[in-house]
């Protein structure tokens, strides 16, 4: 299943809504409505979201309103596990209210700005574009340490490095052109030497030889084709000049100051949930198919493969040492430089605030000790 095609039962590609973050497309997409919400009465009327005690004594944070970036697939396994195992409740939340994403959903950033959700999952390019327009948002952690975009090719004709695309035909979806163009610029490639072929999201043209390469997510189309018996190769953009982290936690900037204990409680529960999924990727797959995403008609074996694939993006040598969701200073600067390539001139402090995670791990180093060994590709 390609999480960008999936809806219930059919619908537009997800990337049409959340992956056009860099350049003019992204800046336009998060314009007037989002900024109007920043100072609207909606923001005030939703102020009860996530409120609770912040001082000494029993914690009572109320219901955690959590906006997903897409439908309830295995991409959000850590949250499902944290809910099902009671980690949120142990941290002081009375319950979890999931707000799914999808074609008809409002932007993730709007839901956080208006306080419909206390937290949302997004990406630096989308959030950065909103911040550049004045949205009071911050990234407080990143699940994926490596950007999941890849150039997929058939294994017998692999594209192993960016220059291998010269003289080749690469299938690129219209909604992904902003990311494609940003990658070409970041990798200093000559676009005139590559034939870009407009495609949709079904990678069949690659298997038929119509194109030589395919723009996709490492967790999606490669898994789809692999399950169908095709042998493919992947070149990750993150390894060649496009280091944007992904699946980031975004919150209102003022919430960091006013509800710091709540956000730290959220992060602790998420860390525990994702640690369990890192140890047993089948757990998140089972909860996705049988409970949280039951209406989507997903398959456990497929979701388990995607769960294993995303675990490779979450736990690496740095996060094994520093804790999952952390981002090194060097990687943050690489993200800021990449966003600048796409026209977003932001400083690290304008977009990131990882102080909450730092406090969480200082207060409970056992969270790092509980992490499993760094997974290796199959």
């Amino acid at each position: 299943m390609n999480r960008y095609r999936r809806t219930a039962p059919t619908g537009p590609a997800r990337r049409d809504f959340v992956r056009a973050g860099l350049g003019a497309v992204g800046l336009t997409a998060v314009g007037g409505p989002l900024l109007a919400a920043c100072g609207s009465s909606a923001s005030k009327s939703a102020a009860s979201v996530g409120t609770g005690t912040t001082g000494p004594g029993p914690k009572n944070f109320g219901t955690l309103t959590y906006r997903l970036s897409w439908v309830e697939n295995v991409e959000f396994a850590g949250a499902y596990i944290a809910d099902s195992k009671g980690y949120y409740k142990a941290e002081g939340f009375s319950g979890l209210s999931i707000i799914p994403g999808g074609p008809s959903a409002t932007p993730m950033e709007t839901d956080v700005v208006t306080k419909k959700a206390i937290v949302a999952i997004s990406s630096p390019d989308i959030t950065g574009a909103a911040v550049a327009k004045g949205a009071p948002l911050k990234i407080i952690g990143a699940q994926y340490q490596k950007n999941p975009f890849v150039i997929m090719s058939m294994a017998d004709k692999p594209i192993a490095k960016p220059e291998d695309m010269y003289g080749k035909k690469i299938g690129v979806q219209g909604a992904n052109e902003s990311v494609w163009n940003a990658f070409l610029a970041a990798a200093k490639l000559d676009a005139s030497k590559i034939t870009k072929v407009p495609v949709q999201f079904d990678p069949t043209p690659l298997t038929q030889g119509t194109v030589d390469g395919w723009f996709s997510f490492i967790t999606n189309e490669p898994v789809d084709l692999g399950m169908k018996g095709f042998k493919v190769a992947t070149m990750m953009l993150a390894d060649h000049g496009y280091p944007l982290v992904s699946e980031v936690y975004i919150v209102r900037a003022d919430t960091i100051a006013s509800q710091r204990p709540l956000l730290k409680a959220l992060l602790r529960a998420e860390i525990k949930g994702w640690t369990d999924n890192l140890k047993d990727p089948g757990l998140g797959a089972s909860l996705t198919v049988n409970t949280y995403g039951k209406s989507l008609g997903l398959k456990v074996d497929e979701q388990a493969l995607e769960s294993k694939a995303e675990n490779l993006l979450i736990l690496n040598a740095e996060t094994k040492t520093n804790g999952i969701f952390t981002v090194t200073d060097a990687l943050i600067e690489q993200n800021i430089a990449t966003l600048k390539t796409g026209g977003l001139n932001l400083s690290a402090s304008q977009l990131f605030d990882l102080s909450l995670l730092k406090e969480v791990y200082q207060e409970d180093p056992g969270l790092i000790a509980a992490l499993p060994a760094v997974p290796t590709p199959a």
Side-chain angles (χ1 to χ4, degrees):
M1 165 219 159
N2 184 315
R3 64 187 177 130
Y4 292 102
R5 291 198 304 271
R6 182 76 192 191
T7 181
T10 59
R14 174 189 177 188
R15 292 182 182 126
D16 290 335
F17 302 91
V18 301
R19 293 294 172 194
L22 288 171
V25 175
L27 292 174
T28 301
V30 296
L34 176 59
L35 296 183
C38 292
S40 68
S41 59
S43 177
K44 297 179 178 63
S45 65
S48 60
V49 173
T51 57
T53 58
T54 58
K59 294 175 290 185
N60 179 20
F61 296 126
T63 300
L64 172 62
T65 46
Y66 194 128
R67 170 61 200 272
L68 309 184
S69 54
W70 190 234
V71 296
E72 297 99 320
N73 64 6
V74 77
E75 179 178 345
F76 313 103
Y80 307 152
I81 295 171
D83 183 42
S84 66
K85 286 197 171 185
Y87 296 151
Y88 291 131
K89 287 190 176 181
E91 289 293 340
F93 295 101
S94 59
L96 172 68
S97 176
I98 291 176
I99 305 172
S104 61
T106 56
M108 295 87 72
E109 286 67 30
T110 299
D111 281 350
V112 175
V113 168
T114 61
K115 299 185 182 180
K116 180 179 180 181
I118 193 70
V119 65
I121 302 298
S122 185
S123 62
D125 49 352
I126 298 291
T127 304
V131 170
K133 288 288 186 178
L137 300 170
K138 293 282 187 181
I139 293 171
I140 62 170
Q143 292 173 6
Y144 292 179
Q145 298 296 299
K146 295 190 72 170
N147 193 277
F149 272 112
V150 301
I151 300 297
M152 177 174 63
S153 54
M154 301 308 294
D156 59 348
K157 297 180 180 178
I159 293 174
K161 60 183 184 299
E163 291 76 14
D164 290 347
M165 293 190 290
Y166 286 163
K168 303 287 180 64
K169 296 178 180 178
I170 309 298
V172 180
Q173 303 78 11
N176 285 332
E177 285 197 15
S178 61
V179 178
W180 166 255
N181 291 330
F183 171 62
L184 294 181
K188 297 180 174 58
L189 294 173
D190 184 347
S192 68
K193 295 182 180 180
I194 304 171
T195 301
K196 183 185 68 175
V197 179
V199 296
Q200 297 301 316
F201 292 90
D202 181 353
T204 299
L206 177 66
T207 66
Q208 296 175 335
T210 304
V211 296
D212 305 295
W214 195 264
F215 205 65
S216 73
F217 256 40
I218 187 69
T219 56
N220 297 151
E221 288 95 330
V223 173
D224 291 345
L225 292 185
M227 291 192 68
K228 294 175 181 177
F230 293 101
K231 294 183 179 180
V232 300
T234 55
M235 180 194 77
M236 296 198 71
L237 273 58
D239 294 332
H240 299 280
Y242 197 78
L244 290 189
V245 293
S246 192
E247 300 301 280
V248 299
Y249 295 94
I250 64 169
V251 300
R252 284 181 60 102
D254 57 4
T255 305
I256 296 174
S258 66
Q259 299 190 67
R260 200 169 187 85
L262 179 151
L263 294 180
K264 288 165 66 174
L266 158 69
L267 289 169
R268 281 192 296 270
E270 287 280 305
I271 290 166
K272 293 174 183 177
W274 277 109
T275 297
D276 288 350
N277 197 67
L278 288 166
K279 293 177 178 178
D280 179 11
L283 175 58
S286 178
L287 286 171
T288 298
V289 173
N290 298 319
T291 305
Y292 295 87
K294 188 174 183 178
S295 65
L296 300 177
L298 305 174
K299 297 179 180 179
V300 171
D301 56 350
E302 178 186 58
Q303 292 295 287
L305 287 174
E306 293 193 13
S307 184
K308 290 179 181 178
E310 69 182 345
N311 280 352
L312 293 172
L313 304 176
I314 293 171
L315 189 62
N316 60 17
E318 286 77 19
T319 53
K320 171 66 174 175
T321 299
N322 302 323
I324 55 175
F325 312 155
T326 59
V327 187
T328 65
D329 291 343
L331 185 52
I332 288 177
E333 289 305 323
Q334 291 173 28
N335 273 248
I336 295 301
T338 301
L339 293 176
K340 188 173 183 179
T341 300
L344 292 175
N345 293 304
L346 298 170
S347 67
S349 61
Q350 284 179 290
L351 189 58
F352 291 89
D353 185 341
L354 302 184
S355 62
L356 292 159
L357 272 174
K358 183 177 181 180
E359 291 177 14
V360 165
Y361 285 121
Q362 286 178 337
E363 294 164 1
D364 189 357
L367 293 171
I368 296 177
L371 291 170
V374 176
T376 56

